[in-house]
Amino acid sequence: MRRGHSIAEQYSRQLRRRFRMWPTWLPDGDVRVGDFGRIENGLFERQGRLDGALSGLAARRTRSTADQLFASDGVRQVAVGAAGASVDAPDAKAAARIEFGRELGILVALRDCHETLATDPLATASELDTLRKEDKWQDGYCLVTGVVRAKRALIAIGSKGGGTLELSATAPVSDLLTCLDGEVRISSEVSVSYRALITDCTPLFRLSKLARGGELVLRGGDSTAARLVELDPMAD
């Protein structure tokens, strides 16, 4: 990771590169379809929420997506059922030990994921264009048009000097993702910048912007009509 960037910016860059979506910061924050705001230094800064205000956002579909496990180069080792890991209760068992290297490391484990997408971009764009003409929508704004919701998530960020994070569980585990299905705790940590076990979270989302006047021309469509264009997370 490049020096001189905050942990939040580095987290955002790494996850955008891996998932081609926008990551929520802080990771336990709540992002919903209809949220709007600006991108600042690769991070979404929410300004408000239009959910319920735009009829075009009412049409949605939800689909199951694969579990996700990502470890950046700064994660030196993930040992499941690690011998010697600390436990914090008499009935607890060592579940996992995560070791971070000298480079700032990021680990993201997402279990039981579903993605919800707004499915009427033309109606949404038309309504946003009306708000723009009424000076209620600014050109720099972007809109959340899809979110990934995870039933359970583990997110950990080490420090540049290395560190460890240990998990304990009340039942044996076979891998880090299935570990999240049961009762799991953080039993110890050393030099960890951020760590969280989160239930029912929205760690990733999609952003779109309003395009007008030939910025986006659909075949056979009106080149002057407003359209929604999904933002490329790696465009910056």
Side-chain angles (χ1 to χ4, degrees), residues 74-90:
V75 178
R76 187 166 61 186
Q77 183 181 28
V78 178
V80 177
S86 302
V87 294
D88 57 356

Side-chain angles (χ1 to χ4, degrees), residues 45-149:
E45 300 288 343
R46 191 173 77 89
Q47 305 290 317
R49 181 169 291 162
L50 291 174
D51 189 18
L54 300 181
S55 62
L57 293 177
R60 301 178 188 181
R61 64 180 173 88
T62 299
R63 60 187 179 93
S64 296
T65 60
D67 294 340
Q68 300 291 343
L69 180 61
F70 165 69
S72 72
D73 292 340
V75 178
R76 187 166 61 186
Q77 183 181 28
V78 178
V80 177
S86 302
V87 294
D88 57 356
D91 60 341
K93 299 174 177 61
R97 177 183 172 90
I98 301 159
E99 297 182 8
F100 298 97
R102 291 187 176 183
E103 181 182 6
L104 189 146
I106 297 170
L107 183 136
V108 175
L110 307 178
R111 184 67 165 163
D112 193 6
C113 299
H114 295 78
E115 183 175 10
T116 298
L117 295 167
T119 56
D120 195 349
L122 294 181
T124 302
S126 178
E127 291 177 295
L128 288 180
D129 201 37
T130 298
L131 293 177
R132 179 192 61 82
K133 293 172 183 177
E134 297 172 351
D135 293 325
K136 297 178 181 178
W137 183 264
Q138 300 179 21
D139 287 340
Y141 282 161
C142 47
L143 180 72
V144 176
T145 50
V147 297
V148 171
R149 184 169 294 278

Side-chain angles (χ1 to χ4, degrees), residues 7 21 51 83 100 135 141 146 149 157 175 198 203 206 226 229:
I7 289 176
M21 297 180 71
D51 189 18
F100 298 97
D135 293 325
Y141 282 161
R149 184 169 294 278
I157 305 174
D175 59 69
I198 315 167
R206 299 184 187 275
V229 182

Side-chain angles (χ1 to χ4, degrees), residues 123-199:
T124 302
S126 178
E127 291 177 295
L128 288 180
D129 201 37
T130 298
L131 293 177
R132 179 192 61 82
K133 293 172 183 177
E134 297 172 351
D135 293 325
K136 297 178 181 178
W137 183 264
Q138 300 179 21
D139 287 340
Y141 282 161
C142 47
L143 180 72
V144 176
T145 50
V147 297
V148 171
R149 184 169 294 278
K151 185 176 180 180
R152 199 83 191 275
L154 167 66
I155 297 174
I157 305 174
S159 68
K160 289 186 177 180
T164 59
L165 181 71
E166 296 182 343
L167 306 177
S168 63
T170 55
V173 298
S174 58
D175 59 69
L176 194 58
L177 286 167
T178 57
C179 171
L180 298 178
D181 291 338
E183 186 177 346
V184 61
R185 305 181 185 90
I186 295 171
S187 54
S188 72
E189 60 180 287
V190 177
S191 299
V192 176
S193 298
Y194 177 92
R195 87 292 185 278
L197 283 165
I198 315 167
T199 300

